[in-house]
Amino acid sequence: MEELKTIMQKFAASGWDLIADPAREWLDGKSNKDTLVSAIKQADEECGNCGCELDQLYKRALELL
């Protein structure tokens, strides 16, 4: 669970609303899992191969959820 929390903190700090907003909601305990999973999948599709540090985190977060 700590690993997932760390990933969500990175998503929340990313500045990319697509992933930052759902991650902040998850960290605040107000998350809808389906919304979060959908946002992570979309982020992975749009940016999952750009070479940034978040690329691998999308897939890992989905595994942990």
Side-chain angles (χ1 to χ4, degrees), residues 9-60:
Q9 289 169 335
K10 288 184 181 191
F11 288 167
S14 72
W16 187 19
D17 290 343
L18 171 67
I19 196 71
D21 293 341
R24 273 195 288 284
E25 289 178 9
W26 184 89
L27 289 166
D28 291 340
K30 302 174 186 173
S31 168
N32 175 309
K33 183 178 177 182
D34 292 337
T35 301
L36 178 61
V37 167
S38 177
I40 294 170
K41 285 181 179 179
Q42 184 178 347
D44 188 37
E45 287 175 17
E46 291 183 22
C47 184
N49 293 314
C50 74
C52 75
E53 72 168 313
L54 299 180
D55 288 354
Q56 296 303 313
L57 298 181
Y58 302 132
K59 291 164 185 58
R60 184 63 182 149

Side-chain angles (χ1 to χ4, degrees), residues 2-15:
E2 192 61 35
E3 180 183 4
L4 185 56
K5 182 179 178 183
T6 300
I7 292 171
M8 291 302 158
Q9 289 169 335
K10 288 184 181 191
F11 288 167
S14 72

